[in-house]
């Protein structure tokens, strides 16, 4: 399978890339290195530096891709409060752009949300039917 991992130079994406390559998949990473590190990725992974907000780049990268694991995001609730526009642009508009790109080629998408959606609720374990 050919996989596109957005945010693949980050914590989860780089570990996933390593596992996917070891499992025989063909992996390409798109990451703008805003919080991720190229050093997280081995030389065995194809890497493109760029943003999910660049629709032309996304359109060219989804060609021939079977599945997209969408992990590009700006984390941190305090960051989102200090600069909501930047967080909204990447996490909301960026996710929409990834979904549209996937739709254009019929690729499957795996998305990782965040426990931040549950707010300050201290209950554990968290589950999807829980309200804030
Ligand atoms: N780490 C966790 O424990 C955890 C748990 C649950 C969910 N998640 C979610 O999984 C996702 C990834 O988490 P992580 O811990 O790997 O985060 P991370 O910050 O390590 O990785 C995110 C990557 O996205 C990249 N990025 C940011 N904006 C981008 C853009 N516009 N275009 C391309 N790349 C961009 C960053 O450079 C970084 O490499 C996030 O959505 C996070 O909320 C993380």
């Amino acid at each position: 399978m050919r996989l596109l991992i957005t945010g693949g130079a980050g914590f989860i994406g780089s570990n996933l890339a390593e596992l996917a390559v070891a499992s025989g998949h063909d992996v390409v990473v798109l990451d703008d290195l805003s919080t991720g590190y190229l050093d997280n990725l081995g030389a065995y992974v194809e890497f493109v530096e760029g943003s999910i907000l660049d629709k032309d780049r996304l359109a060219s990268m989804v060609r021939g891709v079977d599945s997209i694991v969408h992990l590009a995001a700006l984390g941190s609730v305090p960051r989102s409060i200090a600069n909501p526009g930047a967080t909204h642009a990447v996490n909301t508009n960026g996710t929409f752009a990834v979904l549209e790109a996937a739709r254009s080629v019929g690729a499957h998408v795996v998305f990782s949300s965040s426990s931040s959606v549950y707010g300050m609720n201290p209950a554990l374990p968290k589950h999807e039917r829980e309200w804030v």
Side-chain angles (χ1 to χ4, degrees), residues 52-53 70 72-76 79-81 83-97:
I52 55 170
L53 298 174
H70 176 44
L74 284 181
S76 164
R79 187 209 319 261
S80 74
I81 292 169
N83 190 352
T87 296
H88 183 82
V90 175
N91 295 358
T92 306
N93 298 343
T95 297
F96 181 69

Side-chain angles (χ1 to χ4, degrees), residues 8 11 18 29 41 49 55 61 68 97 102-103 112 114-115 120 122 130 132:
F11 171 58
E18 186 179 336
V29 161
L41 288 172
E49 183 173 350
K55 288 181 185 156
M61 289 191 70
I68 302 171
R103 190 166 71 103
S112 168
S114 166
S115 59
M120 298 295 282
E130 200 170 296
V132 175

Side-chain angles (χ1 to χ4, degrees), residues 3 15 22 29-30 32-33 41 54 66 76 85 89 91 93 96 99 129:
L3 285 181
N15 283 288
V29 161
L30 173 64
D32 69 357
L33 300 180
L41 288 172
D54 179 344
D66 302 295
S76 164
N91 295 358
N93 298 343
F96 181 69
L99 292 173
R129 290 192 183 155

Side-chain angles (χ1 to χ4, degrees), residues 1 3 5 13-27:
M1 179 183 280
L3 285 181
I5 305 179
S14 58
N15 283 288
L16 176 67
E18 186 179 336
L19 183 69
V21 169
S23 304
H25 300 292
D26 181 19
V27 175

Side-chain angles (χ1 to χ4, degrees), residues 20-60:
V21 169
S23 304
H25 300 292
D26 181 19
V27 175
V28 60
V29 161
L30 173 64
D31 198 301
D32 69 357
L33 300 180
S34 54
T35 64
Y37 301 94
L38 196 49
D39 285 351
N40 284 344
L41 288 172
Y44 46 82
V45 175
E46 187 183 334
F47 174 75
V48 175
E49 183 173 350
S51 174
I52 55 170
L53 298 174
D54 179 344
K55 288 181 185 156
D56 292 338
R57 169 98 60 189
L58 260 184
S60 70

